[in-house]
Amino acid sequence: MTLADVRHAVDQEWAVRPESGIAWPDRHPDRAPLTEEYSRVTDPERYRVVGARAATWASALVRLGLARSEPLTVPPDVVGVGVERVRLVPTVPVALPLEITTRSLEDVPGSVVDLALGAPPVDVGIEPDCGCDACDTGSADLLGAVDDAFVRVLGGDLVVVVGPRDRKIVASSDEWSAAGWTRGVDDAIRRARRGERVGDRTLVSASWWAV
């Protein structure tokens, strides 16, 4: 099994979903966003493609025999409309489980997806990170970002370092983000990749499919 096989399965399943017909262009391909666009969400309904695309990934991974799906209850302290959670448990023993939470943007269920890796889970991605008109670069970019998030998390190259006081590093092969770390990020990532424990908790992902 390769990444190309997984992407093909995702595309096949996506083609028969009704949300696959939802598409829109970049709102401002040749200009800077307007000031008023930063506080406006013109059509939140179309962001349903985000949850639908995540569900397509989950379905494809299960169908390919790469994971089993476990529905999860929503904790009572989680507020919001239409919050749903599912855990994907990989069949590769050394790979880490993935929790997928879909929630609402502007009260539209299934329009935001959170990815969390490991047990207990650590947040490693959110799409879209902002749904305002200023940040809207079109459906193709958005769906590509969702796909990239799944590949980054499940492809076997992700490193997560959790430190005290909510410090966190999330690193892939070509980029990293850090919250609360002011220095030593590159060194922490290198040490984690060598198998050292860094901070309070260190997660190094393994591929759910063959490289």
Side-chain angles (χ1 to χ4, degrees):
M1 188 74 64
T2 67
L3 173 57
D5 297 323
V6 177
R7 284 190 176 277
H8 180 65
V10 170
D11 289 341
Q12 281 186 316
E13 297 211 10
W14 180 250
V16 299
R17 291 191 66 107
E19 294 89 353
S20 65
I22 301 175
W24 68 94
D26 187 342
R27 298 188 66 88
H28 28 68
D30 52 4
R31 64 169 175 83
L34 303 175
T35 300
E36 58 267 26
E37 290 180 306
Y38 285 96
S39 58
R40 187 177 69 204
V41 181
T42 297
D43 185 7
E45 281 286 339
R46 61 189 177 189
Y47 282 97
R48 291 185 293 109
V49 297
V50 175
R53 189 69 172 188
T56 299
W57 268 90
S59 176
L61 291 166
V62 170
R63 180 168 63 86
L64 291 172
L66 297 174
R68 72 174 188 271
S69 178
E70 300 176 347
L72 298 173
T73 58
V74 178
D77 60 337
V78 173
V79 295
V81 177
V83 178
E84 296 183 358
R85 298 171 65 226
V86 65
R87 179 191 292 120
L88 296 183
V89 180
T91 55
V92 175
V94 294
L96 299 173
L98 174 69
E99 288 193 12
I100 305 171
T101 300
T102 56
R103 49 190 177 86
S104 298
L105 172 69
E106 300 285 312
D107 292 333
V108 177
S111 51
V112 178
V113 168
D114 299 303
L115 302 181
L117 193 66
V122 178
D123 293 334
V124 292
I126 176 175
E127 292 297 338
D129 55 358
C130 181
C132 75
D133 289 355
C135 296
D136 183 4
T137 55
S139 57
D141 274 2
L142 181 58
L143 292 176
V146 174
D147 291 349
D148 289 346
F150 273 91
V151 172
R152 184 170 60 250
V153 172
L154 306 182
D157 186 54
L158 200 71
V159 169
V160 182
V161 176
V162 180
R165 298 182 297 277
D166 296 324
R167 297 197 303 167
K168 183 170 65 175
I169 300 171
V170 179
S172 61
S173 60
D174 55 359
E175 63 181 5
W176 56 260
S177 63
W181 293 73
T182 57
R183 58 184 176 179
V185 173
D186 289 330
D187 180 61
I189 295 170
R190 283 192 295 267
R191 290 170 56 201
R193 291 196 186 281
R194 290 198 300 263
E196 299 179 30
R197 175 170 174 168
V198 184
D200 295 337
R201 190 175 174 205
T202 304
L203 301 177
V204 180
S205 67
S207 176
W208 287 33
W209 49 79
V211 177

